[in-house]
Each structure stands twice: as structure tokens, then as C-alpha cells.
Amino acid sequence: MDTAPSAQPLATTAPAVGNRRRVATAAALASAVEWYDYFVFGIAAALVLGDLYFPAGSPTAGVLASFATFAVGFLARPLGGIVAGQLGDKRGRKPMLVLALTLMGLATTGIGLLPTYDTIGVAAPILLVVLRIAQGVAVGAQWGGAMLLATEYAPEGKRGVYGSVVQLGVPIGVVTANTVFLLAGAFTSDSAFASWGWRMPFLIGLFVLVLAWYIHTRVEETPEFRQAERALAEKEKTEQGSSPLRTIMRHHLGTVLLAGGSFAVNTATFYILITGVLDYTTRELDMKKSAVLTVSLCVSLTQLVLIPAAAALSDKVGRIRIYALGAAGIALWAVPLFLLIDTGSLLWLAVGTFVASCFLSIMYGPQAALFAELFTPEMRYTGASLGYQIAAVAGGGLAPFVMVLLLETTGTSMAVSGYIIALSVIALLSIKVLADRARSR
């Protein structure tokens, strides 16, 4: 039977202000570069990978195959969360974050150098899938490490704000990925972009290795982990073979599943907006690629303000209250969103995606602190990572694929709205159970 662990105070010691800022900056940069590497694949999947690596069949079949490869990365994310969570709860947050950044840098660079189907045949899509799996493992390992570096160094009453610096990595990654693709398209012809221009955003991802080296040499382990490490060592002496994963699976699996259920709508809607809508508007509505990318870039910039604002508010009025407000807003906006997109107007596309992005930011701001508070320090990396990555698989990974499938089978974008609403209902129910458990404690 699941017994949800109580929210724990994070660090009880008081690290120097300068050290806190350095750690928070490193965590934010780690998240940003990791998500940049991850998102360039999603943009490339919508624009070029279908033709280059899955050339057989109709254009729709190529896009579906490309998005299926995109989804494979999400299926690998729980593996990264499990492995890094186990080791991160036993060996430290920092080593796992460094390892995740290194793996992501190498995998992303490998995709940028990978020959196409015309050059090496069927080996090309196979290798593409392998490298995408490596990206998935890396991002599954990264989130927990970066999030805990930030929140476990947070001063009292500012856990939400400190956790939000890691969440800012997502819009920063989107903005950077879109900007680089826009520049690559602007400085190359269509044929040159399809031939080699699309590779440049992937090769830039190699710089993530520099950040991994910096964190390895300049960032200290969190005080909260050092305390938990001593407690875990004592526990292992009396409970032979115990591990964070075994404890989570035996006693707290329900909490993990509720965390995942609460967040799946956020990840699904997010990837629909940045990847599914890019394909839909350019392929079905004949909108210009550069214009749609520009809208996505501008909307993502607004999240840089909205995410920390929502996180700061959650420090004052409570995480659950803010989190639930965002989930309800996504449900209410799902139908108007696609009614506006279907007009084919760039202005209404911007309005629709901006409002949706506001609700996503309201959820995303307090999410890191909320997930950290669901678990005690000795199992926090494992529990929080699993909850997040379950949401990523159930929502984000399949969302662009499901969107294309729904559009092809039903012929209406309202089917995609229904998909978002269904996930919103699951989120609200999961949030209610988590809130009831918190009140009962």
C-alpha cells in the first residue's frame, strides 16, 4: 500500500550566498543546454528528418516515422531517471548531472554527423534511433540532478523560485533551438538546408561538454544530500540490500504515479505546441516555416517571466493551488486553441499559443519544488525523476505522433483538443488526491 512521504524541509544548513548563486546558475545552464540538445531533434523531426531518414511512402508516413523516433527518446527517459536516481540518491546529485550532460553532448553531435538513408541505407534510421535513445536516457537523468542542485540549496521560503531556474531551461532551450534553426534557414537555400544546414544546430550541442566540465570542477554537492548520505549509510547497515528504487516501488509507487498523472497534460500540450503545431501549420495549413518558428520563439520568451512568477507565487500561497489552476486553464483553452490555429492566421496562432503557454507556465513554475517535496532526501532523486519521466512518456513523447494520427483519422483538430482535455481531467484528479493526502498528513 502506498504511503505518501511527507514534504521535507530541504537544506538545514546555510550555504554562502555566492555558492548558492553559482549552483543555481549552473543548474539553470545545465537544464538549458540539455533541453536545447533535446529540442533540436523535435524541430528537425517536423522539418527534415522524415525525408532524409524515412524516405519511403507518403509525406505523412515519413512524418509519422520521424515523430515515432522522436517518441523513442521519451520511452528511454524513465531508464535514465531510474539509473541516475539510484546512483544520485546514493552517490550524489552532481556526478549524475555531469554524466547526463556528457552523454547528451555526444549523442546530439552524433546525430549532426550521421549520414542519411541515401548514403548508408537502413543503417541510417537505426543509428538515428540509437542516438535518440541516448538523448532520452541523458535528459531522463539530467532533470533530477539539476532540480535537486537548485532546490536543495534554496534558502527557506524560496524553494519554488530556486526550482524554477531549472524549469527556465525549457523555454531557453526552445528559444535557442528555434533561433538557431531560423538562422540556419536564413543563411542557406532550401536545398542547402535540407543537405547540411539542418546539421548545424546539432553540432553546436557539443558545447554542452564544456558545461559538464565546469560543474564537475566548480560546483559542490548539496548539503541536503550529504546529510541524507549519512542516514542512508546507517540504514543500509540494518536493511541489507535496501535501495531507493526498492523503497519507492514498495511504499511510494502511488505517489510516483500520481505525480506523473498530474504532469502528463503539461508535457503533452507543450510538445504539441512546439512540434506538432509546427508540422500541422506548415504541412496542412501552408504557413511559412520561418513565421511559425518565430511565433514559437516569441511565445517561449514570455515563459522566462511567467515561470518564475508562478513559482514565487507558489512560495506564498502553496504549490497545489497554483499547479491546479494551470491544469484547469489548459482544459478550458484546448478548444479555443485549435479554433484559432485553424484560421491559418499568424496573429491568431500567436494568440492561441501564447494563452496556452501561460497556463503551461503556471503549472511548470512550482512543479520542481512540488515534486521534490513529495519525497524524503534519500529517495528524492529516484522518486521525483520517475514521476517526471512517467509524465514525459505518457504525455510528451507520444503527443506529436498522436496528434498527426488523430488529424489523419478524424480530419478535425478538435480531436486533438479532446486529447488535451482528457489528459487535463487526469491531471486534476491526480492533483486532488495529492492535495487530500497532504491535508490528511
Side-chain angles (χ1 to χ4, degrees):
M1 186 176 75
D2 178 72
T3 53
S6 59
Q8 298 293 314
L10 297 188
T12 57
T13 58
V17 173
N19 193 36
R20 275 180 175 155
R21 289 175 178 171
R22 182 168 64 251
V23 171
T25 301
L29 288 173
S31 179
V33 297
E34 189 93 350
W35 285 115
Y36 165 84
D37 283 7
Y38 199 69
F39 290 147
V40 292
F41 191 101
I43 296 172
L47 297 178
V48 296
L49 295 185
D51 292 335
L52 295 176
Y53 291 92
F54 307 96
S58 68
T60 300
V63 171
L64 282 171
S66 183
F67 280 162
T69 306
F70 177 73
V72 164
F74 286 82
L75 296 176
R77 282 170 60 168
L79 175 61
I82 289 171
V83 173
Q86 280 279 91
L87 295 174
D89 280 329
K90 287 189 171 186
R91 307 301 178 201
R93 300 10 177 156
K94 187 181 81 170
M96 293 304 100
L97 180 57
V98 171
L99 182 61
L101 289 169
T102 303
L103 179 59
M104 178 63 85
L106 294 175
T108 304
T109 304
I111 294 171
L113 298 173
L114 185 64
T116 64
Y117 187 93
D118 288 341
T119 304
I120 60 173
V122 72
I126 292 173
L127 290 173
L128 184 66
V129 170
V130 170
L131 290 170
R132 182 59 178 170
I133 289 173
Q135 279 194 320
V137 171
V139 83
Q142 173 272 144
W143 182 80
M147 179 271 290
L148 292 179
L149 273 182
T151 57
E152 289 185 347
Y153 264 104
E156 186 67 27
K158 293 187 177 180
R159 195 179 303 157
V161 171
Y162 269 65
S164 73
V165 303
V166 175
Q167 308 297 69
L168 287 177
V170 172
I172 291 172
V174 172
V175 168
T176 310
N178 278 324
T179 300
V180 173
F181 265 101
L182 280 170
L183 291 173
F187 287 101
T188 59
S189 63
D190 288 345
S191 59
F193 180 82
S195 175
W196 58 268
W198 68 271
R199 297 181 182 274
M200 301 310 296
F202 287 92
L203 298 178
I204 292 173
L206 187 61
F207 288 104
V208 71
L209 298 178
V210 177
L211 180 60
W213 175 84
Y214 174 83
I215 292 175
H216 176 67
T217 57
R218 298 295 301 277
V219 173
E220 298 177 5
E221 189 56 77
T222 70
E224 184 80 359
F225 170 74
R226 290 196 293 266
Q227 294 175 16
E229 187 179 30
R230 291 190 291 270
L232 187 61
E234 291 298 321
K235 187 176 180 181
E236 286 183 337
K237 291 178 183 178
T238 57
E239 298 180 27
Q240 187 175 3
S242 66
S243 71
L245 180 61
R246 183 174 289 115
T247 301
I248 288 288
M249 298 303 290
R250 284 181 177 176
H251 305 294
H252 310 301
L253 181 59
T255 302
V256 170
L257 294 176
L258 287 169
S262 74
F263 198 62
V265 65
N266 189 291
T267 57
T269 307
F270 175 78
Y271 284 102
I272 284 172
L273 291 180
I274 70 163
T275 302
V277 168
L278 176 59
D279 167 66
Y280 177 58
T281 53
T282 55
R283 186 167 56 87
E284 298 289 342
L285 302 181
D286 295 323
M287 298 178 73
K288 291 184 178 180
K289 172 185 67 179
S290 59
V292 177
L293 283 172
T294 301
V295 168
S296 179
L297 187 153
C298 293
V299 168
S300 295
L301 283 172
T302 65
Q303 291 186 305
L304 298 178
V305 176
L306 294 170
I307 287 174
L313 189 59
S314 79
D315 282 331
K316 297 181 181 300
V317 304
R319 320 257 183 249
I320 290 289
R321 201 173 290 177
I322 302 301
Y323 198 62
L325 176 63
I330 293 171
L332 294 173
W333 191 247
V335 171
L337 169 64
F338 276 94
L339 290 177
L340 292 174
I341 291 174
D342 284 344
T343 64
S345 162
L346 201 62
L347 174 62
W348 290 122
L349 170 68
V351 171
T353 54
F354 168 71
V355 175
S357 178
C358 289
F359 291 123
L360 293 181
S361 299
I362 290 171
M363 281 192 78
Y364 206 54
Q367 186 251 345
L370 175 63
F371 277 31
E373 291 167 348
L374 290 174
F375 304 96
T376 53
E378 64 272 14
M379 68 182 78
R380 184 173 287 149
Y381 202 138
T382 303
S385 292
L386 274 178
Y388 187 95
Q389 303 313 332
I390 286 172
V393 173
L398 295 176
F401 182 88
V402 170
M403 178 176 172
V404 173
L405 206 58
L406 288 172
L407 290 169
E408 288 297 313
T409 55
T410 66
T412 173
S413 62
M414 290 299 101
V416 184
S417 297
Y419 171 57
I420 293 173
I421 291 170
L423 289 175
S424 298
V425 171
I426 293 172
L428 289 168
L429 291 174
S430 299
I431 292 167
K432 184 181 185 306
V433 175
L434 287 172
D436 290 344
R437 289 182 173 188
R439 281 193 294 269
S440 69
R441 291 195 299 271

